[in-house]
Amino acid sequence: MKDSVIAAQQTPSAQRTTRDLTRAAISGWLGTAMEFMDFQLYSLAAAIVFNKIFFPDVSPAIGLIAAMATYGVGYVARLAGAVYFGRMGDRIGRKKVLYLTILLMGASTTLIGVLPTYATIGILAPVLLVVLRLIQGFGAGAEIAGATVMLAEYAPAHRRGLISSLVSLGTNSGTLAASGLWAVLLAVLTEEQLLSWGWRLPFLLSFGLMIFAVWLRRSLKESPVFEERPDVVDGVALHRDEVESAIAAADEHEGGVLATGIRQRKGKAFFLALGLRFGQAGNSGLIQTFLVGYIATNLAVGRSVPTDAILYGSLVGFATVPLIGLLGDRFGRRAVYLALSLLTVVLAFPVMLLITSGSTSGVMIGMVLGLNVGVLGLFSLESVTMAELFGSRTRFTQLALAKEIGGILATAIGPVLAATLTAVTGSWWPIAAMLVVYSLITCVSAFLAPETRGRDLVRLEDAV
């Protein structure tokens, strides 16, 4: 055991070419795009047609609730997938897990497109829909975390923020693709055509994207950081008792490297990451979910205005995300995190004044500003900072859990709380107040976190 661990520590640094890095970047972007496209395809289908074709024997309102409930089970499965695949990724490598997650997501999404409807097989139809939704969520729970880890571990340290931000661009790409597909269908098909066969097309079209993504990941090399880890022997991480035995047998330096990583008390980095995630996820739930319905219901503007604003904001995000990644590489993660979160605090009330002004231009400007500063900008930083906060031995697991737990808590609770507070007060100010609170949580977390720019990602211990 001692000899094998020493040999692993003395292995030369794993070399990766520009072509390898490009392949990893495309793979990470494509996987995240697929994840968000699959979920957006489903959420739009749940709102538009699933209540009619899978739950037709109940009232329209109950049918919509049932359709949305099947959407919600995917988030429960995401947490289970984060635990299962996160541990697997830390144990046997990032590449194998990313191959499995893309297969699960793509296959389940495609199969939704060939499901028989309630009219054909009765109650079994919605049951199968829920099963596929669970499988889809199970794979998605580790996809964005795995892609984030892989890109961060591939990227050169001086460009890690920029390259890792490509994962965040996948969210824009997937959301825009799904929204575009449904917009085309709604524009060219009659309701009868949409309900009979048209709704299947977006799900079936995802099959081609899955095949390309699977092919790309089959030829992707393993993360160089995983290969260089001192606790990895023959491509598999040693169990804790095996590492403890190696520590006892090794000399002071070799044993110290392993002991620092294996015996460190965990928790601080995880809760800091959770705080960083809470602001971005909370702001996203308010701006991208709650405000869309709030504007359409309470303001005298066209119902398409808020969705158009999200579309334009997402397009602007293709510039915002890499720019923030570059700034993080230039000035450090903490400085940019503090600046963005404080800017969101300062802009929260002015942005809501713009949005509630009643003018189309005010809604557009306010939504685009809020989305790019308080959501996409923070998301760009989140991609690299979380990876740098965690040690290589548990990076995949901790990152996946921080993303999923933070997302579920903030995104699930935020819109419900905002709806309650705006109903009680009859005003928009609680929305601005919640944006301030969420952003302050991220600000405090960034202030307490260490600067992680340029950190050696092979180290087994967390940054704090």
Side-chain angles (χ1 to χ4, degrees), residues 8-17 20 153-156 221-229 458:
Q9 291 175 335
Q10 294 177 343
T11 300
S13 297
Q15 298 298 315
R16 294 291 183 267
T17 65
D20 293 329
E153 292 184 344
Y154 248 90
K221 293 180 181 178
E222 180 56 82
S223 155
V225 168
F226 182 82
E227 290 184 351
E228 294 173 23
R229 273 172 50 183
V458 179

Side-chain angles (χ1 to χ4, degrees), residues 274-298:
L274 198 62
L276 296 177
R277 170 68 168 158
F278 211 85
Q280 183 273 327
N283 292 345
S284 175
L286 291 176
I287 294 170
Q288 293 180 274
T289 301
F290 176 75
L291 271 179
V292 171
Y294 180 84
I295 291 167
T297 304
N298 295 277

Side-chain angles (χ1 to χ4, degrees), residues 362-380:
V363 172
M364 291 288 183
I365 295 170
M367 292 285 279
V368 169
L369 265 176
L371 180 63
N372 279 269
V373 176
V375 179
L376 297 179
L378 290 176
F379 201 8
S380 177

